[in-house]
Amino acid sequence: MKRSHGFSLMEVLAALALLSIVLLGVYSGISTAGRIVRSGDRAIERMDEVRSTQAYLRSELAQALVMPFGETDDGDPVVFAGASDKITFVAPMPGYLSRLGPQMQVVALVADGRDDYRLEVSLFLLPPDGSEPKALGDPQVLLRGIHKGTFSYRGMDEQNKPMDWQEKWADGRRTPSLVRIALDLDGTTAFPTMIAPLRIDPSASRNGFSLSRGSRGPVVR
């Protein structure tokens, strides 16, 4: 009778070692592919956040209204307030929110942890009786993961000549012509510097409205 030959112990161990190496390579490839897909998904989500934030800001700033929401120490109406980290203006809201009428919007850079900031918008209803604006819920976050950022403004001076970019809009009685928003984000996604034009007449607030002391409602002359 012929004797059957099997595998020796060394051959079995060598085969198991080779199989382990192959399986490890397959797992490593699958894991790497999964990380690449997840990273790509995060990058796409981040870019979508940037695009939606810029689209919202462009749309709302383009619709800014010459509607007073406050007054200066001299009793003049304030229709636009701009600082390096905050913008305040009045504009109609999109969609169903527009049924509440024009609302005061405050777009601000707010500390979000030790080193980062978030960009958020707060909405305020302007009561028809001229009383103080009333907050409509909590602030809504537009964008997180911001290392640093700044807002700047450009408009026309009293002689109707273009001014340089300013980090603070000093004359709240009128609106700037352009608003520039520059943000430095974490990660590899960039926030292209955004320059949004205001389509209203910057001089309209000086010529068309006055605000009596003690009242926040516009009075048309």
Side-chain angles (χ1 to χ4, degrees):
M1 296 179 62
K2 295 183 179 179
R3 300 179 61 184
S4 59
H5 296 280
F7 295 102
S8 67
L9 178 61
M10 293 301 297
E11 291 173 332
V12 171
L13 292 177
L16 290 175
L18 290 174
L19 180 61
S20 299
I21 293 174
V22 171
L23 291 177
L24 181 61
V26 171
Y27 174 78
S28 177
I30 294 174
S31 178
T32 300
R35 286 197 301 269
I36 292 174
V37 171
R38 290 192 295 271
S39 177
D41 289 342
R42 287 194 297 268
I44 293 173
E45 291 175 0
R46 188 64 164 163
M47 287 187 292
D48 287 341
E49 291 175 353
V50 170
R51 282 195 294 265
S52 61
T53 298
Q54 291 206 351
Y56 173 82
L57 293 174
R58 286 184 187 278
S59 174
E60 294 306 303
L61 287 169
Q63 299 182 84
L65 302 174
V66 185
M67 182 176 292
F69 54 81
E71 62 181 30
T72 66
D73 294 337
D74 297 329
D76 292 326
V78 175
V79 300
F80 189 95
S84 61
D85 60 352
K86 184 165 66 174
I87 309 171
T88 305
F89 61 98
V90 177
M93 291 294 296
Y96 72 95
L97 293 174
S98 62
R99 290 180 291 183
L100 298 176
Q103 299 170 31
M104 186 179 81
Q105 302 188 36
V106 180
V107 180
L109 281 170
V110 180
D112 193 17
R114 179 162 46 174
D115 299 321
D116 286 346
Y117 296 86
R118 66 180 182 270
L119 184 67
E120 65 180 31
V121 58
S122 302
L123 305 177
F124 297 83
L125 184 64
L126 296 174
D129 59 1
S131 58
E132 292 287 338
K134 298 179 180 179
L136 292 173
D138 297 327
Q140 300 297 311
V141 177
L142 297 175
L143 197 62
R144 292 187 184 272
I146 302 172
H147 286 319
K148 60 182 180 179
T150 184
F151 307 149
S152 51
Y153 315 89
R154 190 176 188 183
M156 310 297 288
D157 60 18
E158 296 293 340
Q159 286 74 40
N160 206 33
K161 295 181 179 179
M163 300 188 302
D164 294 330
W165 287 103
Q166 310 288 329
E167 289 192 356
K168 180 178 180 180
W169 185 250
D171 191 355
R173 300 170 302 169
R174 58 195 181 98
T175 61
S177 302
L178 300 171
V179 174
R180 182 173 63 186
I181 300 176
L183 302 178
D184 182 13
L185 307 182
D186 59 3
T188 58
T189 303
F191 186 96
T193 299
M194 190 188 91
I195 299 179
L198 279 70
R199 66 187 181 192
I200 59 180
D201 181 6
S203 64
S205 56
R206 288 180 292 174
N207 300 329
F209 291 96
S210 66
L211 193 66
S212 60
R213 292 182 183 275
S215 171
R216 294 184 180 271
V219 179
V220 181
R221 288 179 174 174

